[in-house]
Amino acid sequence: MRRFARVALLCLGCAVCSLLYGLSQLALSLEQEPGGGGRERQARDPATPGARQQAGSAGRGEAGTGRCKNLSVSFWNSYWMLPSDVCGMNCFWEAAFRYDYMKTHPSEKMHLAVVACGERLEETVTMLRSAIIFSIKPLHFHIFAEDQLHESFKDILILKNVDSLLYVDTDILFLRPVDDIWSFLGKFNSTQIAAMAPEHEEPRIGWYNRFARHPYYGVTGINSGVMLMNMTRIRRKYFKNDMTPVRLQWGEILMPLLKKYKLNITWGDQDLLNIMFFHNPESLYVFPCQWNYRPDHCIYGSNCKAAEEGGIFILHGNRGVYHDDKQPTFRAVYEAIKNYSFGDDLVHSLLQPLERELQKTTHTYCGRVYKVFIKQLTKSIRDLYARRSKGR
């Protein structure tokens, strides 16, 4: 009788192991199957916008797929022993999909960097919120802040061995997924190491071509508020310069450039980048103005044709326009995203109230073209809900 019980117990154990293995393989096959259903999409995009909304942490871009709070929790814990506050129903399936995703896509995430100084905490958090709302792939935030701001962020991370990086100023708002600008990395040719937008579209109002006392890129210079970088290429690059016939690497060239031009520099790092890419124009990929839309694109009349056609993709509220009454159109977008509560309906809680506020700004030049401010935002919301619907 005892022998029979032991054999039965052994068979039961083997059956359980076989079942677990079969479920794991099924999850993997569903993930790899082209044109699969909603759960396959969920596996490929383990950090959906809804999942990151539940996580609620600006520095935690690796949040779960809807019900699990944190990727590392599911990865390191046995699926059937997760704490009750981490996963809800179907937790085994959530963890199994994400475990296989980690094995097959260990580095598939986007790196977003920002420098937060002085009174820029609220602005930085609002920028992070805008990135989280629509993005599809996991986001990894690198936040460089002064000591007094460290406690305000969950994770202060130092760049190390990062292959690619999207740097943005704190006064940036994403009106479409970060994934879309990240995709420009795949459009770089063999010599390009970074991507930025022009400083101006209209030379008659350009700053660099009228006032700069140092070299600058192209006709009107470039704006560094949104800068996509292939860090691996940057580390390997030897830059031409006007200080020595010997080419210098990134870390060797910045301080000498600063010393040479320090009396002529007005816009800090942006001026240094203009000087560097003046001497190395083959290294820069230039993307359209709708990826870095600023007040200069509308205060003297609309001069960003790409935004007129497709809407604004990234809004850049430089010169403090989010916090004064000089450009109420920009401020309205900022306030709408700042006040939006994750989990609320985006149409009724964000888009419609914003459009009503924008209609009040038509007495300004930017307000006259207010529809470019919501054109892409409307599409981003529609696409987000479509992804969620397919993921059910």
Side-chain angles (χ1 to χ4, degrees), residues 78 85 102 112 161 211 221 237 247 258-259 319 358:
S78 303
D85 64 334
M102 283 294 293
L112 180 63
N161 299 324
F211 305 117
K237 172 80 175 175
R247 297 191 180 198
L258 180 60
K259 290 179 180 179
R319 303 177 187 171
L358 290 175

Side-chain angles (χ1 to χ4, degrees), residues 2 39 58 105 108 167 181 222 262 286 302 311 323 335-336 362:
R2 289 182 179 177
R39 194 170 287 279
H105 302 76
E108 191 174 339
Y167 167 82
I181 190 171
I222 46 176
K262 64 181 179 181
V286 180
S302 180
H323 312 292
E335 293 291 334
T362 54

Side-chain angles (χ1 to χ4, degrees), residues 19-311:
L19 176 61
L20 294 177
Y21 177 79
L23 291 174
S24 176
Q25 293 302 307
L26 176 60
L28 181 60
S29 65
L30 285 172
E31 178 191 353
Q32 294 175 341
E33 180 180 301
R39 194 170 287 279
E40 178 219 3
R41 182 176 299 272
Q42 199 171 25
R44 293 190 180 187
D45 301 327
T48 61
R52 282 192 297 280
Q53 292 170 16
Q54 291 183 4
S57 172
R60 191 178 296 167
E62 298 173 8
T65 56
R67 286 180 290 273
C68 296
K69 287 183 179 177
N70 188 285
L71 181 63
S72 60
V73 175
S74 288
F75 183 75
W76 292 112
N77 287 272
S78 303
Y79 307 139
W80 55 90
M81 296 180 64
L82 288 169
S84 59
D85 64 334
V86 172
C87 290
M89 294 179 60
N90 296 325
C91 179
F92 175 89
W93 282 107
E94 295 281 356
F97 277 113
R98 286 159 59 185
Y99 176 73
D100 284 323
Y101 186 93
M102 283 294 293
K103 290 194 300 182
T104 55
H105 302 76
S107 61
E108 191 174 339
K109 58 182 158 184
M110 302 175 294
H111 292 263
L112 180 63
V114 63
V115 177
C117 298
E119 309 255 333
R120 297 298 183 109
L121 174 60
E122 178 194 279
E123 207 170 73
T124 304
V125 172
T126 304
M127 180 276 292
L128 296 174
R129 290 165 63 85
S130 72
I132 290 171
I133 290 174
F134 300 114
S135 294
I136 302 169
K137 287 186 296 193
L139 277 168
H140 190 118
F141 295 129
H142 301 271
I143 304 169
F144 298 89
E146 296 172 322
D147 291 342
Q148 62 267 30
L149 294 182
H150 281 195
E151 291 300 319
S152 301
F153 296 103
K154 297 296 184 183
D155 297 304
I156 304 299
L157 304 172
I158 302 300
L159 290 176
K160 185 177 180 181
N161 299 324
V162 173
D163 176 70
S164 297
L165 181 74
L166 176 62
Y167 167 82
V168 296
D169 287 347
T170 60
D171 51 9
I172 290 295
L173 293 174
F174 293 93
L175 304 184
R176 68 181 294 173
V178 177
D179 309 62
D180 295 332
I181 190 171
W182 191 261
S183 68
F184 279 114
L185 289 166
K187 299 181 181 180
F188 284 10
N189 64 27
S190 60
T191 65
Q192 291 167 336
I193 64 173
M196 285 181 276
E199 172 67 12
H200 287 282
E201 302 301 308
E202 176 51 65
R204 289 178 297 178
I205 60 174
W207 192 91
Y208 281 106
N209 56 290
R210 292 189 297 160
F211 305 117
R213 295 182 293 163
H214 57 73
Y216 56 88
Y217 178 89
V219 177
T220 60
I222 46 176
N223 185 280
S224 63
V226 180
M227 183 176 179
L228 182 65
M229 296 173 279
N230 184 316
M231 300 296 290
T232 300
R233 290 187 179 183
I234 287 176
R235 296 186 193 103
R236 296 172 180 171
K237 172 80 175 175
Y238 285 85
F239 294 87
K240 292 175 286 186
N241 60 89
D242 58 1
M243 299 173 294
T244 170
V246 178
R247 297 191 180 198
L248 302 174
Q249 288 189 294
W250 186 272
E252 301 170 327
I253 199 172
L254 291 176
M255 288 308 297
L257 274 180
L258 180 60
K259 290 179 180 179
K260 179 175 181 176
Y261 289 103
K262 64 181 179 181
L263 298 180
N264 298 326
I265 285 178
T266 302
W267 306 113
D269 62 303
Q270 179 170 293
D271 290 346
L272 291 178
L273 289 167
N274 267 281
I275 296 169
M276 291 179 68
F277 286 110
F278 169 83
H279 293 290
N280 302 269
E282 75 287 348
S283 297
L284 186 67
Y285 181 100
V286 180
F287 46 66
C289 51
Q290 61 196 147
W291 293 98
N292 189 346
Y293 191 95
R294 302 179 301 283
D296 285 343
H297 288 121
C298 58
I299 57 176
Y300 305 113
S302 180
N303 57 56
C304 178
K305 300 303 180 184
E308 292 177 15
E309 295 172 3

